[in-house]
Amino acid sequence: IWGSTWLIIKVGYGGLGPFNVAAVRFLIAGAVLMPMVPLLRARWPSTRTEWTLVGWVGLVLFAADYGLIYWGEQFLDSGMTSILFALLPLVTIGFAHLYLPGDRITSRKLAGTVLAFAGIVALFGGRIRIDPGGPAPMLAIVASTVCAAAAGVATKRHGASLHPEALNAPALLIGAAALALASLIVGDGLVLPRDAATWSAIAYLAIAGSVITFLGYFTLLKTWSVTSLSFISVF
């Protein structure tokens, strides 16, 4: 599912600004998850640390990470985007080494991440198109991996007691609000899609690409290492 989102994002702007369409995606995802929290009898965040983590995930993962992805992928093909985002394991092992005492860099981890990145380059390298007009979109995707790694490492350290639904639901809405504000600031405004194709893409990205994938990710993060989970970027 996660691998398919690169292409769906690319074809699913529908003439909307990147922050606008990303805000709609996460607003829908958050609205779906909010009623699931009491239905599952999950505990809402209650401490300052937990609410800080929710805000961090909302702003750094859903707003900054995906804002950069949506902006950058306007100018890059999905193959190039997937190659650049495949740097996520390399960034993650560095953050984890510094912030998680039990997740240190080893020669085996480093070799695995380099091999995985080389595999993505081998798969897509012959078909990508590089826009010589400027490096900014490529740098935006690389910066998005830093945001994703920072959110994952922080959640691993501070989110053990939070139910994935209780973390994701408010974080998605915070991310949607921040993206909506960014859309207003850059002058794209806030509008809803007008065609069924764009709504279909947003619905897929909201339900399959956000609700299902992030619940799976944050559930697995409770028992898996953040370094292991970072390999989602190479599937």
Side-chain angles (χ1 to χ4, degrees), residues 32-143:
V32 169
L33 276 177
M34 286 295 285
M36 291 177 61
V37 177
L39 285 175
L40 294 172
R41 297 183 179 180
R43 178 182 63 82
W44 288 105
S46 57
T47 67
R48 178 179 296 182
T49 298
E50 289 175 345
W51 277 114
T52 299
L53 177 63
V54 169
W56 179 260
V57 171
L59 293 175
V60 175
L61 178 61
F62 295 125
D65 175 22
Y66 277 89
L68 291 165
I69 288 171
Y70 270 83
W71 181 84
E73 203 171 351
Q74 294 176 109
F75 312 101
L76 303 172
D77 62 36
S78 57
M80 171 59 80
T81 306
S82 65
I83 287 176
L84 294 171
F85 202 78
L87 290 167
L88 178 61
L90 286 168
V91 179
T92 300
I93 63 170
F95 279 17
H97 180 81
L98 294 173
Y99 200 61
L100 299 174
D103 202 350
R104 301 298 187 185
I105 293 176
T106 64
S107 58
R108 183 178 180 181
K109 285 182 183 179
L110 185 59
T113 56
V114 172
L115 181 61
F117 180 71
I120 292 295
V121 174
L123 283 173
F124 293 102
R127 291 179 286 161
I128 61 173
R129 177 177 55 83
I130 300 177
D131 183 359
M138 298 173 66
L139 291 175
I141 303 302
V142 173

Side-chain angles (χ1 to χ4, degrees), residues 26 38 69 82 93 123 151 159 178 183 186 192 195 199 206-207 210 219 230:
F26 292 133
I69 288 171
S82 65
I93 63 170
L123 283 173
S183 187
V186 301
L192 294 175
D195 60 279
W199 273 117
I207 304 304
S210 301
T219 298
S230 70

